[in-house]
Amino acid sequence: MVRRNEIREGEKAVAAPPPSDGGLVFIGMVHTPWTSRMMTPRQGRMDGPVCRIDIFDPWQEALSGIEAFERLEVLYWLHRSRRDLVLQSPASDGSVRGTFALRSPVRPNPIGTSIVTLVRRDNTSLFVRGLDCLDGTPLLDLKPDRALFTPIAPPQPGDFETE
Amino acid sequence: MVRRNEIREGEKAVAAPPPSDGGLVFIGMVHTPWTSRMMTPRQGRMDGPVCRIDIFDPWQEALSGIEAFERLEVLYWLHRSRRDLVLQSPASDGSVRGTFALRSPVRPNPIGTSIVTLVRRDNTSLFVRGLDCLDGTPLLDLKPDRALFTPIAPPQPGDFETE
């Protein structure tokens, strides 16, 4: 079952500090077929439904050149998730695991990350496969998949450091 | 050259909305050998130096079980980056590309993501390879690498949807 923000047997919540160390701007919105958390996939799949990502003003021009990348990394804000659990029981069976050993949406900073395939761009919208989030999820960032990207900026000394 | 927050030829800044749509809590700090942006690698490498990630109170218990994962996804806050560029010129040569077609630290929400290998855990510190950020970078999240993680929670209808 999806968590409706209850705390389950064995789970542990902490007194979380106020989330005021950094501020986010929502740069767009993700549209998916899933309007209920009871339907949303646990993980995206590359042969899953095509979803639409709309980019808000004034960020549209930042899409320039994105069509060159077959796969993108998408960061989004899991706006319905509680943020104060350090131990979670995903199977609701009393067994627990630390939040950082899970990809659960419940985390101190509920940022979801997915790798998606870019199907097409239509002006300020991108059509992609591979998402796993609720319809209406706020968008935080888009980047080329790290495996496809070579920095344009000249290398720096750290790029050659091994140990 | 590293950007010292100047705007280069051909680049475009926008009037960015205030970053008040969501709030972040810094859950730890990343320690690396790089104390200057002039030295920091453009991209991390799996044979790069071992770096230390310290987890702050009250989040340490969320590390429980993390040793089971050879690779982790790390999210961090690029606290020195400007956030208002939509077109950037990484080579400083007048040619530009959209921010979402780059993995530059300059972005509306300056969140860096890396895949690292976990060398060892020592209590509330993790030692990892593969980072590319400045010493003292605030930590936002740790998750198992998506390729190594199988959800524990039961699947939902969306997990089986293809199109």
Side-chain angles (χ1 to χ4, degrees):
Chain A
M1 288 288 283
V2 156
R3 182 190 304 276
R4 295 185 183 280
N5 288 337
E6 76 284 5
I7 296 186
R8 300 168 179 156
E9 185 194 343
E11 293 188 331
K12 181 171 175 181
V14 295
S20 53
D21 294 327
L24 298 169
V25 56
F26 295 161
I27 62 166
M29 186 165 281
V30 181
H31 293 285
T32 74
W34 306 296
T35 54
S36 153
R37 286 192 289 174
M38 308 299 294
M39 303 299 286
T40 308
R42 303 291 186 183
Q43 285 192 315
R45 47 190 298 165
M46 288 306 184
D47 59 353
V50 174
C51 301
R52 193 180 86 236
I53 299 175
D54 294 334
I55 306 298
F56 296 157
D57 186 62
W59 306 111
Q60 289 101 343
E61 213 167 342
L63 291 170
S64 178
I66 202 166
E67 305 89 335
F69 298 98
E70 190 189 344
R71 290 190 310 274
L72 302 174
E73 187 176 354
V74 185
L75 276 63
Y76 38 96
W77 187 242
L78 302 160
H79 57 306
R80 304 275 294 272
S81 295
R82 64 183 299 153
R83 304 174 62 166
D84 60 348
L85 296 191
V86 289
L87 296 176
Q88 300 184 44
S89 183
S92 307
D93 62 356
S95 74
V96 294
R97 189 184 278 193
T99 293
F100 303 143
L102 292 168
R103 293 185 65 90
S104 155
V106 173
R107 14 202 359 105
N109 294 301
I111 300 169
T113 71
S114 285
I115 302 293
V116 302
T117 54
L118 178 58
V119 177
R120 72 177 195 279
R121 173 179 168 188
D122 182 2
N123 194 14
T124 62
S125 295
L126 300 180
F127 293 83
V128 305
R129 292 184 198 268
L131 284 172
D132 59 5
C133 60
L134 211 51
D135 187 46
T137 296
L139 181 71
L140 297 178
D141 202 5
L142 295 170
K143 315 177 197 264
D145 181 328
R146 62 173 60 74
L148 302 178
F149 184 72
T150 305
I152 299 167
Q156 300 210 120
D159 283 300
F160 306 102
E161 267 180 63
T162 61
E163 187 185 281
Chain B
M1 288 288 283
V2 157
R3 181 189 306 274
R4 295 187 184 280
N5 289 339
E6 76 284 7
I7 296 185
R8 300 169 179 156
E9 185 194 343
E11 293 188 330
K12 181 171 174 182
V14 293
S20 52
D21 294 327
L24 298 169
V25 56
F26 295 161
I27 61 165
M29 186 165 282
V30 181
H31 293 285
T32 74
W34 306 296
T35 54
S36 154
R37 287 192 289 175
M38 309 300 294
M39 303 298 286
T40 308
R42 302 290 186 184
Q43 284 191 316
R45 47 190 298 165
M46 287 305 183
D47 59 351
V50 174
C51 301
R52 192 180 86 235
I53 300 175
D54 294 334
I55 306 298
F56 296 158
D57 186 60
W59 306 110
Q60 289 102 343
E61 214 167 343
L63 291 170
S64 179
I66 202 166
E67 306 88 336
F69 298 98
E70 190 189 346
R71 289 191 310 275
L72 302 173
E73 187 176 355
V74 184
L75 276 62
Y76 39 95
W77 187 243
L78 302 160
H79 57 304
R80 303 276 294 274
S81 296
R82 65 183 298 153
R83 305 174 61 166
D84 60 348
L85 297 190
V86 290
L87 296 175
Q88 300 183 43
S89 183
S92 307
D93 62 356
S95 73
V96 293
R97 188 184 279 194
T99 293
F100 303 142
L102 292 167
R103 293 185 66 91
S104 154
V106 173
R107 15 201 1 103
N109 294 301
I111 300 169
T113 71
S114 285
I115 302 292
V116 302
T117 54
L118 178 58
V119 177
R120 72 177 195 281
R121 173 178 170 189
D122 182 2
N123 193 12
T124 62
S125 295
L126 300 180
F127 294 83
V128 305
R129 292 184 197 269
L131 284 172
D132 59 5
C133 62
L134 209 52
D135 187 47
T137 296
L139 181 72
L140 297 178
D141 202 5
L142 295 170
K143 314 177 198 266
D145 181 328
R146 62 174 59 74
L148 302 179
F149 184 72
T150 305
I152 299 168
Q156 300 210 124
D159 283 300
F160 305 101
E161 268 181 63
T162 60
E163 188 186 282

